[in-house]
Amino acid sequence: MATPPSTAAHAPARSTPPIGVLPAAGVSASAFLLFGLQLAGWGHGVLLLGLLAAFLVSRELGKDLSLIGLGIAIVSTTSVKADVDWDRFFTIGTVLILAVSAPLLVDRLVLRRRAIRFPWLSGGTWNRWQMGYIVAVPVLGWLILPYYFITSGAYENWPHITDGGALARFFVGVNFVGTWDELFFICTCFALLHRHFPLWTANVLQAVIFVSFLWELGYQEWGPLLTAPFALLQGWLFSRTGSLLYVLIVHLLFDVMVFLAIVHAHNPGVVPIFLV
């Protein structure tokens, strides 16, 4: 087993009082209200209360949760429901870029620290299990995703695309969002939460935000049964490898199958590689 370096994801939890998990849970719950239930007023209210409570518990906890809350609030300014029209393509892309860059800039320029980092390589080697998982991910996606999209009807949450240009935007969009997921949910939310809480507490809290966002994006019906384990695995893998590159490879390989499965669901026979 490769020994992971001391990155933000592996840093020992700070001496945050146990009650600190309550405001952190409030911030995560705000994402569920904003993205999952589409309750903007309640969601922003819970987010604000969570941040205020965090500063009462610990100033450092308040700072870190404020960075997460800033990203959540920025994403909440627009719908992230899958859409490849040019105006939505650029609007969603701009909002997601801001949701990652704004917390990073505040961390660097206002708070004068480096709590948010994007460790491309860990400096260690990936073991056989980790390499095997990279191979297993697209295979699992090939087996599971067509069944999920078709039997649940969730593929209809993505537009039926026949135009080549729109199909190209869809492919770019799927990979862009997959990359953003790792930058925000793992390298930002998970890493900041892990500064204060044990691994699995931080991982569950980030997974709530991750899965809520994916629900609005289109992974609905019984989609959380797939997206929740995936979000937890990505956080755990990052904690083990300390490598953004590794979790990104895993995610994008899975997203290739997402793209192909949705195209197949809308256009049976066009991608003749699936069993369903």
Side-chain angles (χ1 to χ4, degrees):
M1 176 73 69
T3 302
S6 180
T7 67
H10 310 300
R14 291 171 176 261
S15 56
T16 301
I19 197 173
V21 75
L22 295 179
V27 171
S28 293
S30 75
F32 174 70
L33 293 170
L34 289 167
F35 308 139
L37 300 183
Q38 297 287 291
L39 297 174
W42 284 100
H44 289 114
V46 169
L47 176 59
L48 181 59
L49 288 174
L51 296 179
L52 291 174
F55 277 104
L56 293 176
V57 172
S58 161
R59 185 173 181 179
E60 287 302 310
L61 177 65
K63 290 178 182 178
D64 287 337
L65 290 185
S66 292
L67 296 180
I68 297 172
L70 176 60
I72 291 173
I74 291 173
V75 175
S76 73
T77 61
T78 190
S79 169
V80 296
K81 181 176 174 58
D83 194 330
V84 295
D85 288 342
W86 278 114
D87 60 333
R88 296 304 301 155
F89 184 79
F90 284 113
T91 298
I92 294 172
T94 300
V95 167
L96 295 186
I97 289 172
L98 289 173
V100 167
S101 60
L104 177 66
L105 291 173
V106 172
D107 183 53
R108 295 288 194 277
L109 303 179
V110 179
L111 300 179
R112 302 289 184 178
R113 56 182 201 172
R114 296 180 60 86
I116 298 175
R117 290 181 286 169
F118 304 113
W120 190 247
L121 291 170
S122 64
T125 57
W126 301 338
N127 61 34
R128 291 182 180 179
W129 183 90
Q130 290 161 343
M131 293 300 294
Y133 185 65
I134 288 176
V135 175
V137 163
V139 175
L140 290 170
W142 172 73
L143 286 171
I144 298 170
L145 288 171
Y147 180 80
Y148 158 62
F149 284 121
I150 293 172
T151 60
S152 70
Y155 72 93
E156 294 179 351
N157 295 327
W158 280 262
H160 185 183
I161 301 170
T162 55
D163 174 71
L167 194 64
R169 291 197 298 277
F170 179 40
F171 180 76
V172 171
V174 167
N175 286 276
F176 171 79
V177 172
T179 301
W180 180 85
D181 288 342
E182 300 306 322
L183 296 177
F184 184 67
F185 299 119
I186 303 304
C187 291
T188 301
C189 296
F190 173 69
L192 289 173
L193 288 164
H194 196 19
R195 285 163 54 85
H196 302 273
F197 307 110
L199 169 62
W200 283 105
T201 301
N203 208 12
V204 169
L205 290 170
Q206 72 82 15
V208 172
I209 307 172
F210 200 155
V211 173
S212 299
F213 172 84
L214 292 179
W215 177 274
E216 183 179 356
L217 183 66
Y219 293 88
Q220 298 177 9
E221 308 303 331
W222 51 274
L225 295 179
L226 297 177
T227 57
F230 183 75
L232 291 169
L233 270 172
Q234 291 298 94
W236 181 77
L237 287 169
F238 185 64
S239 75
R240 298 298 300 171
T241 64
S243 171
L244 171 60
L245 178 62
Y246 182 81
V247 294
L248 194 55
I249 288 173
V250 169
H251 197 136
L252 295 185
L253 284 173
F254 191 76
D255 279 354
V256 168
M257 288 300 160
V258 168
F259 170 78
L260 293 175
I262 292 173
V263 171
H264 165 70
H266 277 295
N267 307 276
V270 171
V271 188
I273 64 172
F274 296 110
L275 302 178
V276 179

